[in-house]
Each structure stands twice: as C-alpha cells, then as structure tokens.
Amino acid sequence: MTLSRAMILTILLAVPGCGRQSPAQAPAPVPVPVDSVWALAEAAFNRGDWSEAQKHLDRATPLLPPADPRYLRLHFYLAEILFAQGNPLQAVREFRRIADERPDDPLAPDALLRAGDAYLDLWRRPELDPTYGETARTVYQEVISRYEGTPAARRAVLRINELAEKFAQKEYKNALFYFKYKAYDSAILLFRGLIANYPRTSVVPEALERLVLVYQRLNYQEDLKETCAYIAQYHPAPTGPRRLCPTAAPGAEAGR
C-alpha cells in the first residue's frame, strides 16, 4: 500500500527530532558558594575598596538568610560604605535597622553609635543649624541608656562631650554678635546660659571675661560680684577671667 504524501509528512512531524534540530540547551548556572562571595566582600571592605566591597555584598545579599550570623554584619558593612561614600542619611537607615530589628544582637550597640556618628557628620560647623547635632546627641543618649556599660556606651559619652563643645561654641558666637552690636541684655542671657549649660567647655573662661566686661560697662555691681565670686571658685587662675575682677571683689571670699 502506498502512503500518501500528506500522511508521510504527518508522521515525520509527530516523531521528535525528525525534520528539524532541537535548539542547544544552555548549561545550568553553577551556584555561587556564599562563603567565597563573603570572603571577597570582607577582603575588599578591610582594604577600603568600597565599590568592590559593595559589589560582592550585593551578590551575597540574596544568598544570606536572616538567620545567618553574617546577615547583620552585611548590613553593617553596607552602612559603613554608604557613610564613607558621603551618604550619611542612607547610612543611618541601615545602622538603625540593625539596632531596631535585633536590639539584643552584639552588633546593635555599635550600629546605634554609628547612627549617631552619621548625624554628627551632618553638623560640621557650629554656626549652622544644629538640628542634626541635637539628633546625634539624642542617639548617643539612647546608646548610653540602652547599652550601659558597653564600649559603645563609653564612646557615646565621649561623643556627647565633643558635642557640648560645639554647642558651646555656637552659643558663644551668638553672644559675641550681640556683644559686638551692644545688645548687652541679649549677650548676657547667652553668656550666662552657656556657662550654666556647658560649664566644662573651653569657651567658658572667655564667656566669663565678656560677662565681667558687660557688667562693668552697665555698672551692674551685684551681678559683677556674683560672677567674680564664681570665677574665684571655679576659675581662680590669675591669668584667666579673674584678672578682670576688682582686686578685692566683695563676695569672692563668700564664694569660696
């Protein structure tokens, strides 16, 4: 029996591989070992090659489950890279993510401290708006209250002292502005506030000198006596603000 041409064509098409070649199959991708990627990322981070480190960390991100102990370290590295590259606000989000999501993790105190450092970096000049400086101080106080006794908390205390110096300098410059233009009452308020709020800062002796000069110009004798008594007790060096006080200022001995 002779098969028709249509039947032969139908049979050929029905048989796999007949009449045409199958496309070449692409080889399956070889899984990348996470340990290798992590080692490359850490090596690049440790030598300060931020772009290379970020490239490997981005590769490692989908490979590390949250339960992996390297998961938080990865986000800490990413935050440090953002900070180093001049993106402190983005770095804050990564640092806070660690401290807020895993507050009991050993990395959390350092992450919260670095969030404060990122805010502090945004307030570089005392005369500018101090909002970021105030936020940094709040974060450092949070480190101290949440992680008392840790190395991060001890460093936070040092940072707060540094901030106090900057805040005092800002107040001093504002007071000098009023002093220069003879708005003495405003200058007095700022000088006294500076001395009361930041008594251990380096600008206090200068603020006391200006305060004594203002009281002398305005003939505020009672305020002069009170200030000189304070100077005699806390800044007794003869070359400091005490040299501007009357030689035998009434009240000085009482201040002692």
Side-chain angles (χ1 to χ4, degrees):
M1 179 182 292
T2 304
L3 296 175
S4 68
R5 180 179 299 177
M7 292 179 63
I8 293 173
L9 182 61
T10 301
I11 293 171
L12 290 175
L13 292 175
V15 177
C18 294
R20 59 185 176 88
Q21 293 183 347
S22 300
Q25 296 292 327
V30 178
V32 180
V34 65
D35 292 341
S36 301
V37 178
W38 181 256
L40 291 171
E42 274 201 315
F45 182 87
N46 290 334
R47 66 175 180 266
D49 189 345
W50 309 129
S51 59
E52 186 73 8
Q54 186 168 17
K55 181 181 73 174
H56 293 303
L57 289 171
D58 289 341
R59 292 174 61 201
T61 298
L63 304 176
L64 287 176
D68 193 296
R70 293 169 293 189
Y71 178 79
L72 290 185
R73 178 68 60 180
L74 180 146
H75 287 284
F76 190 88
Y77 286 162
L78 287 174
E80 289 287 4
I81 291 170
L82 288 167
F83 195 176
Q85 291 177 336
N87 300 300
L89 287 178
Q90 295 181 43
V92 164
R93 285 192 286 271
E94 288 291 335
F95 285 131
R96 288 232 57 134
R97 175 179 180 177
I98 297 169
D100 294 339
E101 291 184 4
R102 306 279 185 85
D104 297 328
D105 190 271
L107 199 59
D110 288 325
L112 191 58
L113 179 77
R114 293 298 283 157
D117 291 343
Y119 279 123
L120 180 58
D121 184 70
L122 289 164
W123 188 45
R124 298 184 180 182
R125 296 170 56 188
E127 63 271 19
L128 299 179
D129 183 350
T131 301
Y132 285 124
E134 292 165 353
T135 305
R137 180 168 58 186
T138 300
V139 174
Y140 292 140
Q141 290 169 341
E142 183 181 355
V143 175
I144 295 170
S145 63
R146 287 174 60 178
Y147 302 108
E148 183 179 3
T150 63
R154 290 191 289 272
R155 291 197 297 273
V157 172
L158 298 177
R159 301 286 202 284
I160 288 176
N161 292 336
E162 295 172 12
L163 269 171
E165 190 70 33
K166 294 184 70 173
F167 281 118
Q169 291 175 11
K170 180 177 181 61
E171 290 297 301
Y172 183 67
K173 290 181 178 181
N174 290 339
L176 281 182
F177 173 83
Y178 290 110
F179 181 86
K180 178 181 178 181
Y181 290 101
K182 300 182 180 180
Y184 292 132
D185 288 337
S186 297
I188 288 171
L189 288 175
L190 288 172
F191 283 134
R192 290 177 67 94
L194 185 163
I195 295 163
N197 295 325
Y198 309 106
R200 298 180 183 275
T201 56
S202 63
V203 295
V204 166
E206 297 176 49
L208 287 166
E209 290 184 9
R210 300 285 182 173
L211 201 54
V212 169
L213 291 174
V214 171
Y215 290 149
Q216 289 174 341
R217 291 181 186 181
L218 299 178
N219 198 28
Y220 288 179
Q221 291 300 317
E222 290 302 317
D223 291 315
L224 178 61
K225 292 176 184 178
E226 177 186 334
T227 302
C228 285
Y230 178 91
I231 291 171
Q233 183 173 0
Y234 296 105
H235 298 272
T239 57
R242 191 175 185 181
R243 73 186 189 282
L244 301 178
C245 290
T247 305
E253 293 303 318
R256 285 183 178 276

